[in-house]
Amino acid sequence: MTAGGTDGHGSDGLVLAVDGGNAKTDLALVDSSGRLLSLVRGGGSSAHALGIDGSVEVVEDLLESAIAQAGLEPLARPLASVAYLLLAGADLPEERSNLRTKIEQRAWSNRLVVDNDTLALLRAGTDRGWGLAVVCGAGINCLGLGPDGREVRFDALGAISGDWGGGGDVGLAALAAAARSADGRGPRTVLETAVPAHFGLTDPLEVSREIHLRRIPSARLLELAPVVVAVCDQDRVAADIIGRVTIEVIAFAAAALRRLELTEADSDVVLGGRMLRAVSPNVIETIARGVNETAPNARVLVAPSEPIVGAALLGLDALLGDAGAGARARAELDAAIAETRYDPPTVTVGRLPEQSFGSAPSVTSE
């Protein structure tokens, strides 16, 4: 975590919270009582896809909309007492430092924290101040915080850092399975028709050619993850892909628990991201059983709120305000998010899933 301050006096008790992902970004303004002043949602803000400047510009545009929605003075600087900007792509220390330097120039807050979005997920899932978060969004990542303040992070750079299990990986696996089904190299799977149908085509090999010729952006493979989730209960090949995701989630959690020496502790292991929020309860139960083989007392749960709630709660925690402020902020943000309708634009930028790390094991779904 990176914290610090900027000159100025800001709006007393105002929290600026941002959860920035690859597909969407949520920004909220909350006062010290937990009252939600505004919530806005826009496109992805990952610096891996947009660069540092592009990432900050997305947040700045959303902030301007949130200020107008809340009826605040647009020129007031700093606007907030504390800001938590928790962004996908802020994985390495130098990435967080570069983002922080650029954001500090905007003088949005007296105190500023710039970190990875796994921190928002962890706080959204537990009030304990420590535990693990594993996210499966466009990519996969894990953060572990011990009760003694120690932390475990992973580079989360894709195949080059040993990662598999994000939406891009699942989408690539789905296309590969569909192509192998079509040409006879692999088992038959409903993905043979479901994958090309998603792109308005009839043949998975046609999808492969369109990606190769750059007529379909390779980053759109992310869109296939929900397709796999939708058919995994009726198709063994799709089930095996989701089964491999469960293996990777368990591996992240088990490694973090061992490194933090929490194998005997009653840690909360918070799951989140579009994929883990969409899978069936049976998949979550499989993950829980796997985690409990390493840490029998650990409690595996899907975060009950979106990560933006966690970012806001962290800001309120920093203010050391009323104990009821967090409960109010969670309730009002949950209600506002439930009413928010946003269809992110087609993904056209981002990292092409690299060659998969290792081979996919055969997994029996339960």
Side-chain angles (χ1 to χ4, degrees), residues 7 37 43 46 55 94 118 133 145 151 181 186-187 224 282 333 342:
D7 294 332
L37 304 181
S46 170
S55 176
E94 52 266 44
T118 51
L145 297 179
E151 65 178 40
S181 174
L224 294 176
N282 288 339
L333 274 165
Y342 175 73

Side-chain angles (χ1 to χ4, degrees), residues 3-366:
T6 57
D7 294 332
H9 297 288
S11 297
D12 290 342
L14 188 65
V15 172
L16 164 59
V18 178
D19 168 55
N22 290 275
K24 66 175 177 64
T25 301
D26 287 332
L27 184 150
L29 295 174
V30 177
D31 72 15
S32 60
S33 73
R35 181 169 62 100
L36 177 62
L37 304 181
S38 57
L39 171 69
V40 293
R41 176 172 286 182
S45 55
S46 170
H48 288 171
L50 304 176
I52 298 295
D53 289 336
S55 176
V56 176
E57 286 172 8
V58 169
V59 175
E60 188 163 42
D61 289 345
L62 288 174
L63 180 57
E64 290 176 359
S65 297
I67 289 170
Q69 186 181 105
L72 300 174
E73 172 55 52
L75 299 179
R77 292 293 185 273
L79 172 75
S81 294
V82 60
Y84 269 77
L85 277 70
L86 307 177
L87 308 170
D91 297 306
L92 302 179
E94 52 266 44
E95 292 172 329
R96 294 192 291 274
S97 177
N98 291 337
L99 278 163
R100 177 183 175 78
T101 297
K102 188 65 65 171
I103 293 166
E104 282 181 325
Q105 296 171 4
R106 269 67 175 179
W108 291 336
S109 62
N110 283 316
R111 286 180 287 170
L112 171 66
V113 175
V114 177
D115 210 319
N116 187 268
D117 55 344
T118 51
L119 186 62
L121 172 61
L122 179 61
R123 185 63 183 87
T126 181
D127 295 329
R128 301 174 73 183
W130 63 279
L132 271 66
V134 184
V135 61
C136 283
I140 187 169
N141 200 0
C142 175
L143 171 70
L145 297 179
D148 57 1
R150 290 185 298 158
E151 65 178 40
V152 164
R153 294 177 183 263
F154 298 84
D155 285 347
L157 302 177
I160 59 174
S161 57
D163 310 327
W164 194 94
D169 299 315
V170 170
L172 179 58
L175 176 56
R180 292 171 67 87
S181 174
D183 66 18
R185 288 177 294 163
R188 298 302 298 269
T189 169
V190 299
L191 295 171
E192 181 180 335
T193 55
V195 164
H198 177 79
F199 296 104
L201 302 172
T202 57
D203 184 346
L205 294 168
E206 187 178 1
V207 178
S208 301
R209 289 189 289 269
E210 292 295 295
I211 290 176
H212 174 71
L213 295 172
R214 301 181 186 275
R215 291 196 283 254
I216 293 178
S218 59
R220 290 193 63 193
L221 288 169
L222 296 170
E223 300 171 19
L224 294 176
V227 175
V228 178
V229 171
V231 302
C232 69
D233 287 339
Q234 57 184 295
D235 183 82
R236 176 58 183 266
V237 173
D240 281 353
I241 294 173
I242 298 302
R244 186 179 178 195
V245 173
T246 69
I247 291 171
E248 295 298 325
V249 171
I250 293 166
F252 266 111
L257 288 163
R258 288 192 295 266
R259 288 166 61 185
L260 288 170
E261 300 177 312
L262 293 177
T263 55
E264 301 300 322
D266 61 342
S267 309
D268 288 338
V269 178
V270 180
L271 308 180
R274 185 177 183 186
M275 194 149 39
L276 292 179
R277 292 180 71 87
V279 296
S280 71
N282 288 339
V283 173
I284 303 303
E285 291 172 7
T286 300
I287 293 171
R289 287 195 297 271
V291 171
N292 288 150
E293 290 180 6
T294 297
N297 299 316
R299 183 172 72 104
V300 176
L301 67 148
V302 177
S305 300
E306 294 282 348
I308 184 61
V309 176
L313 293 176
L314 285 165
L316 290 170
D317 293 343
L319 292 179
L320 301 175
D322 186 288
R328 179 178 182 180
R330 186 187 289 274
E332 293 193 7
L333 274 165
D334 284 346
I337 290 166
E339 296 176 358
T340 300
R341 296 291 181 265
Y342 175 73
D343 295 320
T346 297
V347 178
T348 58
V349 296
R351 288 181 170 175
L352 170 67
E354 301 168 71
Q355 182 178 358
S356 296
F357 183 77
S359 57
S362 177
V363 178
T364 302
S365 58
E366 299 185 33

